[in-house]
Amino acid sequence: MFFKKLFRKDPASCMEKGDKFLAAGRYADARVAFDDALEALDASDPSSAALSTAIREKMAIAGNRLAEANIAEAEACIRGGDMHKAEDHLNLSLELADDVTIREKTEKLLSSLLSSQESTPQPAKHVHSKGCGGGCSSSSCHPSDSAEISEDGLSESDRFELLVRPLPGDLPERYLSLGKEFAKGYLAAHEGDLGTAWVIFERLLAQGENDVLLYELSLLSHREGDRRRCEALLRRCLQLNEENPLGNLGLVQFLAESSRFDEAIALLESMLQRGILPEQSELFLGDLRQARGEHDAAIEHYSRLLGGALKKEAAQRLVPMLEASGRHADAAYVAKQLRCC
């Protein structure tokens, strides 16, 4: 009994440790510390119920941040074609997430992923243009749009959905609602077939404008070096929908590439005020401030990101700037956090 009391963990010290881990972005360590705090609570203490609630709330915060990190990993796996690993990350996200919005995003992405796997036929039934004879036309190679199967075993509709699911906000649903013809153009652009993408998107544009279509056409214009039309399309996109996150970020990138930093910074600050891609906007503001030699402002922007999803990218930029400013202790602290990312 004596030794049990001697080595008994103190809830307060465990919570303090968990708070430090949470502030540093070490969410897995934070959950362990908070779990230790829960175990150390004395059930006979009248204040333990309130303390337990506070600890569980902090555990939920750490779990949500870990869930978001697993969603990001899953999206990277999907882009790389590793669907099984993506599924593992998404299942882990569901186990960790307490936030309804995070769970909903995870469930949608997982449902899309599982649906694509279920609809994937056996390898012997894959339809490939490579397997056709020399005189075979593309229409006879592929019986129908829904039956087209790529070399990774996914149908066109499945590939399209997996590509657009990681888009921010309500864009995944909006892209999916634009129909099969748009999906064919999107996949063609993604695979480098710009000619086909141009034909499809221009045909759709003739039927009526929408901000998503204009944004995708701006990307094609940029890739083909038509900067004047690229900017015009981006601005028209934002005239139709000033909240389109990709349209906003696309125009920022265009302005930055054109060395029109004042305009780019003004748009980024507006995006922050409107809550449009706030972390990406903050990071980009830091990059532009740094490019203009405004190092103190850049350091401030990067520092604000150290507790968020882009902490690693911010820390990588911040450490050399702090060193160059003679703030060696701060640089060492941030470098330590970077190693824990």
Side-chain angles (χ1 to χ4, degrees):
M1 180 65 72
F2 173 77
F3 287 104
K4 184 176 181 180
K5 289 182 179 180
L6 184 63
F7 292 106
R8 181 182 178 87
K9 293 179 180 177
D10 175 30
S13 62
C14 290
M15 279 193 71
E16 183 180 357
K17 184 186 293 186
D19 287 337
K20 288 180 179 178
F21 285 142
L22 197 60
R26 296 172 58 181
Y27 304 119
D29 291 332
R31 279 174 58 86
V32 172
F34 290 137
D35 191 49
D36 288 342
L38 281 176
E39 290 184 1
L41 287 176
D42 185 352
S44 63
D45 188 339
S47 65
S48 63
L51 194 55
S52 173
T53 300
I55 294 171
R56 292 183 188 281
E57 287 176 353
K58 292 183 178 184
M59 284 186 74
I61 293 172
N64 288 332
R65 298 293 81 77
L66 285 170
E68 289 175 331
N70 274 280
I71 291 174
E73 289 293 333
E75 291 170 346
C77 290
I78 289 171
R79 290 191 293 271
D82 192 343
M83 305 305 171
H84 293 296
K85 192 172 182 181
E87 184 180 347
D88 290 340
H89 281 295
L90 292 173
N91 284 325
L92 185 55
S93 176
L94 280 178
E95 291 177 18
L96 293 165
D98 179 72
D99 183 88
V100 174
T101 303
I102 297 173
R103 291 187 64 84
E104 183 178 320
K105 181 177 181 180
T106 304
E107 287 167 351
K108 284 183 178 179
L109 194 54
L110 184 58
S111 176
S112 172
L113 184 67
L114 293 176
S115 295
S116 69
Q117 290 175 341
E118 288 172 2
S119 63
T120 301
Q122 296 301 313
K125 296 181 182 178
H126 287 184
V127 182
H128 301 303
S129 59
K130 291 181 180 179
C132 300
C136 177
S137 68
S138 60
S139 59
S140 60
C141 288
H142 304 295
S144 68
D145 291 346
S146 60
E148 286 190 13
I149 304 299
S150 65
E151 292 185 3
D152 58 10
L154 298 177
S155 68
E156 280 192 350
S157 60
D158 289 335
R159 282 191 294 136
F160 177 58
E161 183 165 357
L162 289 174
L163 284 171
V164 302
R165 273 299 173 197
L167 296 178
D170 65 349
L171 286 179
E173 285 70 25
R174 295 193 60 211
Y175 271 66
L176 291 169
S177 71
L178 292 177
K180 287 185 178 181
E181 191 72 3
F182 175 82
K184 288 178 74 71
Y186 186 91
L187 288 173
H190 181 76
E191 293 161 3
D193 186 357
L194 304 190
T196 298
W198 267 119
V199 170
I200 292 174
F201 287 163
E202 291 286 6
R203 183 164 60 238
L204 291 173
L205 186 63
Q207 299 171 17
E209 289 183 326
N210 69 72
D211 57 303
V212 168
L213 184 57
L214 290 166
Y215 171 75
E216 292 299 329
L217 277 166
S218 78
L219 295 184
L220 295 182
S221 297
H222 186 274
R223 289 169 72 174
E224 294 198 342
D226 189 345
R227 298 182 60 80
R228 179 176 296 181
R229 190 177 189 218
C230 174
E231 181 176 4
L233 287 165
L234 285 169
R235 292 195 180 279
R236 180 57 182 157
C237 163
L238 294 179
Q239 283 179 348
L240 294 181
N241 180 10
E242 63 179 8
E243 302 299 311
N244 186 309
L246 295 183
N248 278 278
L249 194 59
L251 184 55
V252 165
Q253 291 172 325
F254 178 88
L255 294 170
E257 288 176 3
S258 307
S259 298
R260 293 156 63 181
F261 294 153
D262 288 342
E263 294 177 69
I265 287 171
L267 180 52
L268 284 167
E269 289 174 342
S270 171
M271 289 171 65
L272 276 178
Q273 292 172 359
R274 291 178 288 155
I276 299 173
L277 301 177
E279 292 201 336
Q280 291 91 330
S281 299
E282 196 84 67
L283 189 69
F284 215 151
L285 274 169
D287 292 345
L288 293 181
R289 297 290 190 190
Q290 184 179 6
R292 284 163 49 123
E294 301 169 7
H295 300 299
D296 289 342
I299 287 172
E300 185 176 347
H301 286 300
Y302 294 144
S303 297
R304 291 174 187 159
L305 294 168
L306 291 179
L310 297 180
K311 61 181 180 293
K312 185 173 183 178
E313 292 83 350
Q316 288 171 335
R317 292 161 165 79
L318 192 55
V319 170
M321 294 191 71
L322 291 171
E323 289 283 4
S325 302
R327 296 167 59 178
H328 303 297
D330 291 337
Y333 175 80
V334 175
K336 183 178 180 181
Q337 306 312 308
L338 177 59
R339 288 193 292 272
C340 297
C341 289

